[in-house]
Amino acid sequence: MTSRPIYLDHQATTPLDPRALEEMMPFLTTAYGNPNSAHPYGREAAKAVDDARRRVAHLIGAKNPVEVVFTSGATEANHLAIVGGALAKRAHGGHIVTTAIEHKAVLAAVQGLVDHHGYTATRVAVDAHGRVHPSDIAAALTPNTVLVSVMHANNEIGTLQRIAAISQITTHRGILLHTDAAQSAGYGLFDADELGVDLASLSAHKLYGPKGIGALYVRGGTLLVAQQTGGGQERGLRAGTLNVPAIVGFGAAAHLITSDTSPALTQIRALRDRLQDQLLDAIPGATVNGHPTRRLPGILSLTLPDAEAADVLEHLPDIAAATGSACNTGTSNPSHVLIAIGLTRPQARRTLRLGIGRTTTATEVERAVMLIAQAAARHRPARSSAA
């Protein structure tokens, strides 16, 4: 039997934890009630949803479980937060501030406000490590600003932002602060109350839960205009029959993080550092992108000195990795994140994104180093000899 490739793409998605699947199974088979139904089947499903909501709230430091609104994923959560939040504040202004390295779901939601609702938007630049300076956010604000959206951790280079410092600026001026926490919540690094955000987007499949389910944290008292109307589910913010099995899996995955039954962050970081150090030794001239210390523990963005990343990966059937965000797959354009941190277009095309996860082993890291180094060497362009 052919072995499976070494999986180094945990920023795109994580494998569903078998323990989360086990909790989901009854709700895929015998416990099939609609949680809005008044009979025992419905009450059983409603209790499971309530339990999952509490678990997700605990994961992200929400004071009240009702602050968790279930969605189909982080993309929908981003849209509800940005469009719904901005429209709810329309009487106070029509200006949005975000950064140059946000996920495409955030940038598209902001652009939709510009194109269809007459808002204006400012994208604040980041430094070479991918960090936005709070003072630059403050400088971008105007009396017309109603919402700021800054991701907590970048999905391509892993850099963590100073959200708490930004929240002090926005709170003082009565401006909504949204953050995309899809990547950081999976490491248990996100605390909504501690960071002071009003809105935060989450995705279950980034933290070993199922695909097709996410959530939006909505701080108590924050008003939104619903983007999906109908039966009034989720406090009227997101209509539609709840996806009970996926919600249960989301709650189970969140619980596994907070209950310390998963590998420690130190273990994941140690494997990432080993992968990084050995690749830098094996590929002279390779460089690492992202903040050296304020970075997600499992991510490595590596720019090769002279080999196209896509060519390297094409000839690495034993490695499952990426050249950047999964949402960029199929396009020839270089990553907007890498361009924003100062890489040239050729450098961006030479960049690999490698992601360590819970199930990654030291043996897999050692083999990945060997295979990637060999492939990078094979795809170096031939040097012309002197005439």
Side-chain angles (χ1 to χ4, degrees), residues 246-279:
I247 288 171
V248 169
F250 191 177
H255 179 65
L256 291 171
I257 295 171
T258 58
S259 61
D260 294 326
T261 59
S262 301
L265 294 187
T266 53
Q267 176 181 325
I268 295 174
R269 183 179 290 108
L271 286 176
R272 189 276 312 275
D273 289 346
R274 181 184 300 187
L275 178 68
Q276 173 178 308
D277 294 344
Q278 292 189 11
L279 282 174

Side-chain angles (χ1 to χ4, degrees), residues 103-332:
H103 191 279
K104 283 187 173 181
V106 167
L107 297 178
V110 172
Q111 192 60 44
L113 286 167
V114 172
D115 293 341
H116 304 297
H117 297 281
Y119 284 70
T120 58
T122 300
R123 292 189 190 182
V124 179
V126 297
D127 64 20
H129 295 311
R131 295 192 89 183
V132 61
H133 294 274
S135 59
D136 290 339
I137 294 291
L141 302 179
T142 75
N144 203 35
T145 306
V146 293
L147 184 141
V148 171
S149 182
V150 178
M151 70 194 326
H152 187 216
N154 186 265
N155 56 306
E156 292 192 39
I157 59 176
T159 296
L160 289 156
Q161 303 295 347
R162 296 172 59 190
I163 300 297
I166 295 171
S167 74
Q168 291 178 0
I169 297 167
T170 56
T171 301
H172 178 70
R173 299 182 62 161
I175 296 169
L176 289 178
L177 176 60
H178 164 257
T179 190
D180 183 338
Q183 295 289 337
S184 56
Y187 294 98
L189 298 175
F190 179 79
D191 188 301
D193 198 53
E194 180 181 295
L195 295 177
V197 299
D198 301 297
L199 302 157
S201 304
L202 309 169
S203 181
H205 79 97
K206 304 293 188 180
L207 46 82
Y208 304 89
K211 296 177 179 65
I213 188 69
L216 178 65
Y217 163 77
V218 183
R219 181 178 293 279
T222 302
L223 298 179
L224 299 175
V225 173
Q227 300 300 293
Q228 183 168 313
T229 56
Q233 292 90 344
E234 294 300 274
R235 296 190 287 126
L237 292 176
R238 201 274 182 179
T241 301
L242 294 178
N243 184 351
V244 178
I247 288 171
V248 169
F250 191 177
H255 179 65
L256 291 171
I257 295 171
T258 58
S259 61
D260 294 326
T261 59
S262 301
L265 294 187
T266 53
Q267 176 181 325
I268 295 174
R269 183 179 290 108
L271 286 176
R272 189 276 312 275
D273 289 346
R274 181 184 300 187
L275 178 68
Q276 173 178 308
D277 294 344
Q278 292 189 11
L279 282 174
L280 290 176
D281 286 342
I283 308 174
T287 55
V288 174
N289 304 303
H291 197 278
T293 57
R294 291 283 297 166
R295 178 165 46 121
L296 291 177
I299 191 168
L300 172 60
S301 174
L302 188 77
T303 300
L304 304 173
D306 48 15
E308 294 274 335
D311 292 339
V312 170
L313 290 179
E314 184 179 354
H315 294 86
L316 273 178
D318 295 328
I319 301 286
T323 58
S325 174
C327 66
N328 287 331
T329 301
T331 71
S332 58

